[in-house]
Each structure stands twice: as C-alpha cells, then as structure tokens.
C-alpha cells in the first residue's frame, strides 16, 4: 500500500484539485507546507487550468519530483538532462497504467468543456471521475521511483525538504 498515494487520494476527496493533492502528499520531502503546496499547484488542476491537457495529478508529481530531485543551476546541463529523463520516465509509467497522460482522454471527453468554472464536488461528481484514483496512482508512481532512486548508490542524492 502506498502511504503517499492514499494521502493524495484523501486530499482530492477533501476538495483539493488533482495537482494540489499529489504535491501535498510529498510535503515532508519538498519542505513545503500544505498552504504553499496548494498555492503553487492551484492552477494545474483539471489538466492545467481546466483545459484538460496534461493530467493535473501528473503535474503535481512532476512538481514534487523537481523540488525533490531536480536541478537549480541554469548551466547544469547534465542534471537538466537527468531531470527531463526522470519526468519522461514518470510520464511513461503513468501512461502505461492509464493509456494516456491527457486529462480529457482519461475522463473520456471528446473535447474540453471550454469552461474555467470547476464542477461542484458532489456524489455524482465523484462517481464519474477517476481523479481520486489517478491522484493515488501518480503519487504511488513517484513514491516508487524515488525509493528506487534512493536505493541506487550511483544516483544523485535526493534532497530532503
């Protein structure tokens, strides 16, 4: 069982958007408090601003991955490449499990709703949305990736908050 996956799912069910839910699940590793995580990820829900593009759960995982094991020096070409490789691997794992990384495809929409207005969180909303499970899965994928990275002695050491 993925502890972070369960936390991400519960954060979504409590009202946070998909990206916020996953980023918050890694707060202890990112060093960000819940409010800061929520603010940073607030525009990435609904497939980035509800445009139904890249899944918000994956965006949250990408943000957490970058904070935990990204690069911060503009001229650091090797670590920039390593970071992009990490992101592509996370996306590939998510796509392998779900068939897509695109929100509208994951929701079974033929096109975005063309609205910036979020839906009310009702029982019906949760019945038709795979988002809580996708949040759980995205967090689990990142959690497993980081565990494997930490176990690899040759890997770059993971920052801890």
């Amino acid at each position: 069982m993925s502890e972070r996956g369960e936390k991400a799912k519960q954060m979504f069910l409590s009202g946070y958007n998909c990206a916020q839910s996953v980023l918050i699940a890694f707060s202890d590793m990112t060093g960000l408090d819940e409010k800061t995580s929520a603010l940073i990820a607030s525009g990435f829900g609904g497939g980035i601003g509800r445009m139904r593009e890249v899944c918000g759960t994956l965006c949250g995982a990408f943000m957490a991955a970058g904070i935990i094991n990204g690069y911060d020096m503009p001229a650091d070409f090797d670590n920039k490449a390593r970071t992009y490789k990490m992101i592509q691997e996370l996306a590939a794992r998510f796509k392998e499990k779900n068939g897509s990384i695109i929100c509208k495809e994951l929701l079974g929409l033929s096109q975005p709703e063309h609205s910036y207005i979020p839906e009310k969180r009702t029982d019906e909303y949760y019945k038709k949305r795979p988002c809580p499970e996708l949040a759980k899965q995205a967090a689990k994928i990142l959690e497993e990736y980081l565990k494997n990275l930490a176990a690899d002695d040759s890997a770059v050491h993971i920052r801890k908050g």
Side-chain angles (χ1 to χ4, degrees):
M1 180 169 122
S2 168
E3 188 176 312
R4 291 178 197 285
E6 285 299 325
K7 182 171 183 179
K9 180 178 180 177
Q10 290 312 310
M11 291 291 100
F12 187 84
L13 292 172
S14 75
Y16 284 108
N17 77 32
C18 42
Q20 291 170 320
S21 300
V22 176
L23 184 56
I24 289 168
F26 289 87
S27 291
D28 63 314
M29 292 184 79
T30 64
L32 301 173
D33 60 47
E34 192 171 306
K35 180 180 180 176
T36 303
S37 293
L39 288 168
I40 291 169
S42 64
F44 291 85
I48 307 173
R50 205 166 184 274
M51 293 185 294
R52 306 300 188 205
E53 296 297 335
V54 175
C55 176
T57 68
L58 204 48
C59 291
F62 293 163
M63 285 183 253
I67 295 167
I68 295 164
N69 199 46
Y71 74 99
D72 59 357
M73 301 300 294
D76 190 350
F77 183 82
D78 290 340
N79 281 322
K80 185 177 193 177
R82 178 190 48 76
T83 300
Y84 289 169
K85 179 183 178 192
M86 173 179 62
I87 298 304
Q88 288 183 17
E89 286 181 22
L90 294 169
R93 291 177 189 188
F94 188 90
K95 186 174 184 175
E96 182 180 316
K97 291 186 180 295
N98 299 292
S100 180
I101 66 168
I102 305 301
C103 176
K104 69 181 172 197
E105 293 171 5
L106 295 165
L107 296 179
L109 302 172
S110 58
Q111 61 184 7
E113 298 98 337
H114 300 293
S115 173
Y116 59 87
I117 307 295
E119 288 184 57
K120 298 283 184 198
R121 298 285 182 96
T122 64
D123 288 340
E124 280 304 307
Y125 172 91
Y126 288 114
K127 284 180 188 173
K128 66 181 181 175
R129 290 281 189 251
C131 307
E133 289 302 319
L134 292 173
K136 179 179 179 178
Q137 192 176 93
K140 182 180 179 185
I141 288 168
L142 178 56
E143 182 178 29
E144 289 171 355
Y145 182 89
L146 294 172
K147 280 181 185 173
N148 291 336
L149 192 64
D152 182 358
D153 290 336
S154 66
V156 174
H157 292 287
I158 296 172
R159 286 189 289 280
K160 305 240 188 215

